[in-house]
């Protein structure tokens, strides 16, 4: 599945609620934002200085049920699962 970068942030969150975790991990507080219905994924990436290609990969993993992480996040250690 390919997520269209021209889709609005609001449409993204409504169609695929797991995408919200990706937004939050990138510091994007789009949930409830009055601009979300008018702001595309590409515009949000540009405005938040987030690499669009990496962000889209993260979104696609999240909506496919994969792990959600930031590209710059340290790898999880085995002890993290117990916390």
């Amino acid at each position: 599945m390919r997520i269209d970068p021209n889709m609005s942030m609001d449409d993204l969150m409504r169609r695929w609620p797991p995408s919200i975790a990706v937004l939050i991990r990138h510091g994007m507080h789009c949930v409830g934002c009055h601009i979300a219905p008018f702001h595309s994924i590409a515009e949000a990436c540009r405005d938040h200085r987030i690499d669009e290609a990496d962000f889209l990969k993260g979104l696609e993993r999240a909506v496919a049920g994969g792990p959600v992480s930031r590209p710059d996040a340290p790898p999880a250690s085995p002890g993290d699962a117990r916390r």
Side-chain angles (χ1 to χ4, degrees):
M1 171 208 16
R2 303 287 297 163
I3 295 174
D4 181 1
N6 295 310
M7 170 186 293
S8 76
M9 296 301 285
D10 188 62
D11 195 23
L12 170 71
M13 293 182 285
R14 288 179 190 275
R15 285 189 189 185
W16 298 295
S19 67
I20 294 170
V22 178
L23 276 64
I24 291 170
R25 288 186 188 254
H26 282 276
M28 300 170 83
H29 305 285
C30 302
V31 178
C33 177
H34 66 281
I35 298 173
F38 312 104
H39 216 193
S40 72
I41 295 169
E43 291 167 333
C45 286
R46 183 192 69 228
D47 292 350
H48 290 275
R49 295 189 174 115
I50 294 171
D51 182 86
E52 183 179 326
D54 288 339
F55 186 70
L56 288 169
K57 286 178 192 174
L59 289 174
E60 290 173 3
R61 274 195 308 271
V63 301
V68 176
S69 64
R70 285 178 36 171
D72 60 343
S77 68
D80 288 345
R82 292 181 291 216
R83 290 185 195 153

